[in-house]
Amino acid sequence: MTLKEFLNEGDVFAKESGARITEIKEGYARAEMTVTKHHLNAGGVCQGGALFTLADLAFAAVSNSRGKLTFGLENTISFLHSAFEGDTLVAEATETLNHHKIPYCEIKVKNQHGDLICVMTGLAYRKEKVVLYDSLA
């Protein structure tokens, strides 16, 4: 099983939300989600939790791309632009600092027009336990 398959199948909440990993390399991951009516808040725009879920899935992928089990410690997200029903969102995560214990990552979520929807930063905790997968993607 690949890390991509492991996360796309194993992260049930993200899967049920329509988010999926589309690419993983060491230090980089990409996730996508199409905004549906189920993602909308009372104001008619994509709910912040749905945006966070997409960004967090990309964060999980990039954090675990080094082969060791890694969990999020802290995240900060800034919502910059609204997303609407029908938008295709792409979250690109990069590992800014590949620290052996506490990697730092940046995640940018954009819509199909390239508009920056939100930015998330994250610190993770890398355990000694190896993640068992055949390859990244």
Side-chain angles (χ1 to χ4, degrees):
M1 176 178 282
T2 67
L3 178 58
K4 180 177 161 182
E5 292 168 335
F6 175 75
L7 291 171
N8 281 337
E9 293 301 315
D11 191 326
V12 178
F13 186 82
K15 180 180 176 181
E16 293 296 319
S17 297
R20 69 191 183 289
I21 299 294
T22 57
E23 184 180 357
I24 305 176
K25 300 184 281 191
E26 277 193 357
Y28 174 84
R30 178 183 168 114
E32 297 182 15
M33 178 181 79
T34 299
V35 179
T36 69
K37 68 178 181 177
H38 301 290
H39 296 112
L40 302 182
N41 64 21
V45 298
C46 188
Q47 205 260 0
L51 296 170
F52 183 88
T53 296
L54 175 63
D56 190 51
L57 181 62
F59 176 50
V62 73
S63 297
N64 283 281
S65 70
R66 303 290 180 177
K68 291 195 176 176
L69 186 61
T70 307
F71 294 101
L73 282 176
E74 177 182 271
N75 296 99
T76 301
I77 191 164
S78 297
F79 301 105
L80 307 172
H81 192 269
S82 295
F84 302 94
E85 185 175 359
D87 281 351
T88 299
L89 303 179
V90 174
E92 289 189 291
T94 55
E95 187 180 64
T96 306
L97 176 64
N98 177 23
H99 188 272
H100 70 285
K101 279 286 188 196
I102 303 176
Y104 178 82
C105 303
E106 297 177 17
I107 303 91
K108 293 180 180 179
V109 177
K110 296 181 180 181
N111 67 12
Q112 69 275 13
H113 305 294
D115 299 323
L116 189 60
I117 303 300
C118 61
V119 177
M120 186 171 92
T121 57
L123 287 172
Y125 181 75
R126 189 166 283 148
K127 300 178 73 79
E128 291 299 319
K129 182 178 179 180
V130 174
V131 180
L132 299 176
Y133 52 79
D134 301 324
S135 64
L136 293 176

